[in-house]
Amino acid sequence: MQDFQPSTDAIPVAAPKARSSHQAKVVWGTREVRIGGDAPVCIQSMTNTDTVDAIGTAIQIKELAQAGSELVRITVNTPEAAAAVPYVREQLDRMGIDVPLIGDFHYNGHTLLTDYPACAQALSKYRINPGNVGKGEKRDRQFGQMIEAAMRWQKPVRIGVNWGSLDQELLARLMDENAQRAVPSDAKQIMYEALITSAIQSAQSAEAMGMPGEQIILSCKVSGVQDLISVYRELARRCNYALHLGLTEAGMGTKGTVASAAALSVLLQEGIGDTIRVSLTPQPGESRTQEVVIASEILQALGLRMFNPSVTACPGCGRTTSTTFQELAKQIDDYLRQQMPTWRSQYRGVETLKVAVMGCIVNGPGESKHADIGISLPGTGEAPAAPVFIDGEKVTTLRGGQIIAEFQQIVDNYVAQRFGA
Ligand code: SF4
């Protein structure tokens, strides 16, 4: 066996690559969300209410915004929905919610944006799907009408291609051309090409009409993880428009969460993606805000943004038979989340707090020392004592039935002392 020696070369520290794209500005009132360039990756979400129900839609938008969504997209599919948009906006303004709204248009966006100027004005960005703006000669005209509306109202657009509604004429043409080649490409590769071509050619048409490239955001959404990675790598290589990133129809629960995290993480680490959405199907009874929570967890896990204090907890094993540490980890996590709306305005930087809740002596003290505050609970056979560490130093040992309440108080004191200044 070869003798292993430590290397003297420094191991590179992993970090996401810098992004390089145009920067778009999405504005409502005094609120400005920057997308692309050196702006932080921002979080989007979408309502699932009927937009005609202006009150219900406004309430859901408020929930999404309060959960951390920085842009919220709403369906604008009928004249009634377009007529309701200004009322949705008005309700939000009354509630003090200034999150910019994006109108999601398919098939009739050119008509709605022309016939309902108050809707066009109340929205802060328009989503245009080039596969759903019309066929043949109508396609260019109707797409042009939407771009004209965007320029008239000085709104940015997202040209959002989706493989479920890909421009079939373009796809058929590319398939035919491929079939003529001596060595045809795989059908999947032609589909990738059609997605990218549809997005970039549409963006170029918009620019030819006078729309600044900075006001255009692109997306090419597919539902397979490897497909999304392939498409976005190539899209980012071929253009410098800001990119909206998301796995479309990600699915429900764990599957949707894991697939979105897998796909988005690879691309974000490569510096691809300026705004993200997790297209999660809510479980029955689950809040729509779950997609925002997951999106923020992805960005925080990658170290791209910090939203909430993090709780490191061990998974538990045969060394700990009690559920105390699971309960403590959950209660502390819940408590920190509950406190954040208040703490965020009171304690600058509190979102960087790191708390560790560990199950036994094996990794407990070590992991606790790496955190700002850590507690190492007693495992099976250990003395019933829980040492607490602050900034790497053991400060006290908790015992008895009040450990959870006492540890929470220690966290409160630490937050006030460190972030209150
Ligand atoms: S810290 Fe202790 S209880 Fe937790 S997983 Fe490691 S060995 Fe098990």
Side-chain angles (χ1 to χ4, degrees):
M1 195 195 299
Q2 214 178 357
D3 195 20
F4 178 81
Q5 293 297 327
S7 169
T8 52
D9 298 336
I11 298 171
V13 177
K17 277 192 197 152
R19 288 165 297 124
S20 60
S21 63
H22 287 320
Q23 187 172 94
K25 288 187 180 124
V26 187
V27 179
W28 183 251
T30 55
R31 176 82 176 269
E32 179 181 282
V33 178
R34 294 178 301 131
I35 301 176
D38 62 355
V41 179
C42 80
I43 297 175
Q44 293 194 28
S45 58
M46 186 170 181
T47 55
N48 62 355
T49 52
D50 180 354
T51 306
V52 175
D53 172 12
I55 300 287
T57 302
I59 289 170
Q60 192 175 76
I61 293 168
K62 181 183 177 189
E63 288 167 1
L64 291 165
Q66 288 182 332
S69 184
E70 291 155 313
L71 298 165
V72 179
R73 184 156 46 113
I74 59 176
T75 300
V76 190
N77 54 340
T78 60
E80 293 76 19
V85 168
Y87 295 106
V88 173
R89 183 70 265 177
E90 197 181 305
Q91 293 299 327
L92 291 167
D93 292 345
R94 273 200 202 143
M95 292 189 281
I97 304 295
D98 60 359
V99 66
L101 300 180
I102 304 163
D104 193 55
F105 295 97
H106 300 268
Y107 314 114
N108 57 358
H110 59 291
T111 308
L112 298 178
L113 285 171
T114 308
D115 294 351
Y116 293 86
C119 165
Q121 196 267 334
L123 295 168
S124 300
K125 177 157 85 84
Y126 310 150
R127 184 270 170 106
I128 306 172
N129 180 340
N132 284 344
V133 290
K135 290 190 170 42
E137 150 301 309
K138 278 189 187 168
R139 186 196 171 283
D140 290 349
R141 180 162 41 84
Q142 294 176 174
F143 176 79
Q145 280 176 268
M146 295 188 77
I147 296 299
E148 273 167 17
M151 290 195 292
R152 188 178 323 128
W153 294 102
Q154 297 186 315
K155 310 285 183 180
V157 296
R158 169 158 69 94
I159 295 177
V161 180
N162 191 305
W163 78 341
S165 50
L166 185 54
D167 180 343
Q168 292 303 307
E169 292 165 28
L170 171 67
L171 181 62
R173 179 166 60 76
L174 293 179
M175 286 288 187
D176 286 347
E177 286 170 10
N178 184 51
Q180 310 298 322
R181 290 196 191 112
V183 185
S185 300
D186 187 83
K188 189 182 249 194
Q189 291 170 304
I190 301 305
M191 191 268 295
Y192 293 166
E193 186 61 45
L195 285 159
I196 294 167
T197 301
S198 177
I200 295 181
Q201 280 188 348
S202 301
Q204 288 175 340
S205 301
E207 281 203 76
M209 291 180 66
M211 180 152 220
E214 290 76 18
Q215 291 291 75
I216 299 171
I217 296 146
L218 296 191
S219 67
C220 286
K221 291 195 181 177
V222 295
S223 57
V225 171
Q226 297 297 349
D227 293 325
L228 193 85
I229 293 169
S230 303
V231 168
Y232 269 82
R233 277 180 177 158
E234 187 59 16
L235 182 64
R237 195 183 69 77
R238 290 199 208 171
C239 73
N240 56 3
Y241 297 109
L243 299 181
H244 171 73
L245 184 59
L247 192 70
T248 193
E249 292 107 29
M252 296 181 84
T254 311
K255 184 259 170 194
T257 304
V258 172
S260 292
L264 269 55
S265 297
V266 169
L267 291 163
L268 290 167
Q269 184 73 2
E270 294 176 13
I272 299 170
D274 302 293
T275 163
I276 62 169
R277 180 186 174 214
V278 172
S279 301
L280 201 66
T281 310
Q283 310 258 26
E286 188 178 53
S287 167
R288 187 69 171 174
T289 56
Q290 188 60 11
E291 66 171 67
V292 180
V293 173
I294 294 164
S296 55
E297 295 281 4
I298 291 171
L299 295 180
Q300 179 146 342
L302 288 169
L304 284 164
R305 293 188 64 182
M306 299 299 280
F307 298 94
N308 287 303
S310 57
V311 177
T312 303
C314 79
C317 67
R319 287 179 183 274
T320 177
T321 48
S322 104
T323 56
T324 310
F325 89 95
Q326 292 168 328
E327 286 157 18
L328 179 59
K330 167 110 180 57
Q331 286 193 19
I332 287 293
D333 200 42
D334 291 348
Y335 179 70
L336 295 173
R337 279 180 197 279
Q338 281 162 17
Q339 294 304 103
M340 274 312 281
T342 318
W343 281 1
R344 203 170 277 125
S345 55
Q346 243 175 349
Y347 301 123
R348 196 181 160 87
V350 69
E351 65 278 4
T352 62
L353 177 73
K354 290 195 175 87
V355 181
V357 178
M358 300 294 291
C360 86
I361 199 168
V362 172
N363 289 326
E367 193 69 65
S368 296
K369 285 180 193 169
H370 289 307
D372 297 316
I373 311 176
I375 185 167
S376 178
L377 291 157
T380 311
E382 291 178 43
V388 175
F389 298 81
I390 292 186
D391 295 332
E393 301 291 333
K394 184 176 153 188
V395 291
T396 188
T397 300
L398 302 180
R399 291 183 175 83
Q402 294 303 311
I403 284 183
I404 291 178
E406 287 172 21
F407 185 63
Q408 201 163 291
Q409 186 61 53
I410 291 172
V411 172
D412 274 346
N413 294 344
Y414 181 85
V415 167
Q417 214 169 15
R418 176 167 163 199
F419 300 100

